Amino acid sequence: MSFQQGLSGLNAATKSLEAIGNNVANAGTVGFKQSQVQFSDVYANSLVGSGGGAQIGIGTQVSRVAQQFSQGNVTASNNPLDMAINGGGFFRMSDNGAISYSRNGQFILSKEGYIESASGQRLTGYLADANGVVAIGAPSELRIDKADLAPAATTKYELKLTLDSRKAVQPAASFDPTDPTTFADSTSVPVYDSLGNSHTLRTFYVKTASGATGATWTVFATNDDVPIGYVPPAAPVALGTMDFNNGGVLTGTTPSPLVAAMAVTTGAATPYNISIDATGTQQFAQDFGVAKQLPDGYQAGTLTGFSVSTNGEIVGRYTNGQVNILGQVILSSFANPNGLQNIGDNQWVETAESGVPLTSTPGSSGLGAVQSSRVEDSNVDLTAELVNMITAQRYYQANAQTIKTQDQILQTLVNLR
């Protein structure tokens, strides 16, 4: 009798419909991966030597429910902590040390500063120190440090000028920062001491020699309008000189580099020296111009926001215009992702069948890139699922019909007189 075959077919069709229903139900679940029920036929054990050509199967059975880890569409979001994986890999999550893996990158910031999923698991990665240096090692729960960014004193000043070769030669001894007739040109820039206080470094340029082989310019400076290196009415003291050949090219400075010793009374370290790099400065018959004026150093800053780069670095933005790395997201991959155990809440856990995780930074070791303010949609194809649903319904009806037909045959046999 074929009741067993029909019943197994009904069970198989039911399992298929359950998987399809679950796929449809999660079509809007971020990071969800659709499932597919796979079947195998069933044969009774045969005696040794029996003819295989006479065997009739006794139905079907579920061999496995395989998840399809294909890429879902990536959609923009308004949350800077939302992340989408474009490529392979899983986010590595921690629940009090219990590790799970997820493709759902909808994260929030807890009151303690941890990056968490909606169900409370914490995103893991590599932590960074106060200087933004990421410590590659054992993964840790990522935490956003909202502390102010400490100030940094200015130590280097990159300066690229065009000096006017038509200016007259003047004696260096007559330089007076308050008298514009004693220097050719000047430029100023804000610099910072070790406490982040702002000061104004102003440099002055006096053409002190000119001839067939080139020219020499003497450089003076003031710190917040106070001359550096001397106290008036004492004779002015220069930072040094800049020498140019007859083609207007800077051949060097004396000393090299020029150094401005900034004395301050703010309680910061004093004096602090600023090295002036004048590479590229030139002297031509044209008006004075500033091509580059780039001092380092900055004031203290307050965290205003952050974003995640494609390699997983969490980059903080501060009110002083600086950026600093706060940590780095990591991803994990598996040799056999279908061996992972789905535990719900968009999470999987490692099993013996999945193999051990390969954990590294996004974009390396075959892992995908991370996209900030993005989420990965479910990879469920609703159109295909609806067609599969119709097909599974037909399977169910056909198997039910075999049972009905077998019942009619059995009823006929019972009614024989």
Side-chain angles (χ1 to χ4, degrees):
M1 299 300 176
S2 59
F3 286 116
Q4 182 170 343
Q5 289 93 330
L7 287 172
S8 69
L10 289 178
N11 181 64
T14 299
K15 294 296 183 184
S16 181
L17 284 169
E18 289 174 356
I20 293 169
N22 187 58
N23 290 341
V24 172
N26 285 282
T29 301
V30 170
F32 177 79
K33 299 302 177 184
Q34 67 176 351
S35 298
Q36 180 187 69
V37 180
Q38 298 177 354
F39 305 99
S40 60
D41 55 4
V42 180
Y43 279 81
N45 291 331
S46 303
L47 294 176
V48 177
S50 62
Q55 286 183 287
I56 296 177
I58 58 175
T60 186
Q61 63 182 354
V62 176
S63 59
R64 69 168 181 167
V65 179
Q67 289 202 288
Q68 310 300 305
F69 286 96
S70 58
Q71 178 74 43
N73 293 329
V74 175
T75 304
S77 78
N78 295 321
N79 179 12
L81 275 179
D82 282 347
M83 304 177 209
I85 302 174
N86 193 348
F90 298 83
F91 295 112
R92 185 180 183 274
M93 312 298 296
S94 173
D95 186 2
N96 294 320
I99 304 301
S100 60
Y101 303 90
S102 178
R103 291 281 296 196
N104 187 334
Q106 292 177 303
F107 297 116
I108 57 175
L109 203 62
S110 72
K111 62 181 180 180
E112 298 88 1
Y114 290 102
I115 302 175
E116 296 183 346
S117 67
S119 50
Q121 287 78 27
R122 292 175 176 174
L123 183 65
T124 65
Y126 300 135
L127 302 180
D129 62 19
N131 296 319
V133 178
V134 175
I136 305 297
S140 304
E141 296 175 352
L142 288 174
R143 186 179 184 184
I144 301 299
D145 186 356
K146 295 183 178 180
D148 288 350
L149 184 66
T154 302
T155 60
K156 186 176 181 180
Y157 176 22
E158 296 182 32
L159 182 65
K160 184 178 179 181
L161 305 172
T162 297
L163 298 173
D164 188 350
S165 65
R166 299 168 297 183
K167 295 286 183 165
V169 173
Q170 295 175 288
S174 66
F175 169 73
D176 181 353
T178 64
D179 183 0
T181 64
T182 63
F183 55 88
D185 291 291
S186 69
T187 184
S188 60
V189 69
V191 294
Y192 302 96
D193 62 27
S194 60
L195 294 179
N197 297 294
S198 178
H199 304 276
T200 299
L201 172 62
R202 186 179 180 188
T203 50
F204 301 81
Y205 305 93
V206 181
K207 187 178 182 181
T208 52
S210 180
T213 58
T216 297
W217 291 72
T218 301
V219 182
F220 297 89
T222 59
N223 172 19
D224 293 333
D225 296 326
V226 176
I228 293 177
Y230 70 100
V231 178
V237 176
L239 298 184
T241 59
M242 296 192 296
D243 297 312
F244 298 86
N245 63 20
N246 54 15
V249 176
L250 179 68
T251 58
T253 64
T254 304
S256 181
L258 301 175
V259 176
M262 306 286 287
V264 295
T265 58
T266 59
T270 187
Y272 66 99
N273 295 331
I274 300 177
S275 173
I276 301 176
D277 180 3
T279 302
T281 294
Q282 53 198 1
Q283 178 202 233
F284 296 135
Q286 63 184 58
D287 292 339
F288 174 80
V290 180
K292 180 169 68 173
Q293 197 167 236
L294 187 62
D296 61 5
Y298 46 83
Q299 296 173 309
T302 301
L303 184 68
T304 59
F306 47 85
S307 60
V308 182
S309 63
T310 55
N311 68 349
E313 290 180 341
I314 304 171
V315 182
R317 302 185 302 276
Y318 294 84
T319 53
N320 57 5
Q322 299 298 308
V323 295
N324 196 39
I325 298 174
L326 306 176
Q328 187 169 21
V329 178
I330 57 175
L331 300 178
S332 296
S333 64
F334 296 86
N336 176 25
N338 266 303
L340 294 170
Q341 180 184 352
N342 196 327
I343 59 173
D345 280 335
N346 303 308
Q347 297 176 82
W348 292 268
V349 293
E350 173 189 347
T351 67
E353 287 75 21
S354 68
V356 297
L358 170 63
T359 300
S360 188
T361 54
S364 66
S365 304
L367 296 168
V370 170
Q371 295 181 314
S372 180
S373 299
R374 301 285 191 275
V375 293
E376 182 191 7
D377 296 337
S378 163
N379 65 352
V380 173
D381 183 341
L382 273 178
T383 301
E385 292 302 314
L386 293 175
V387 172
N388 292 338
M389 188 183 300
I390 295 171
T391 303
Q393 180 187 12
R394 294 291 182 264
Y395 291 156
Y396 192 96
Q397 291 173 333
N399 281 282
Q401 188 64 37
T402 65
I403 294 175
K404 178 180 178 181
T405 302
Q406 186 63 41
D407 176 62
Q408 291 173 342
I409 293 172
L410 182 61
Q411 185 65 40
T412 300
L413 290 174
V414 170
N415 290 336
L416 288 175
R417 296 291 189 269

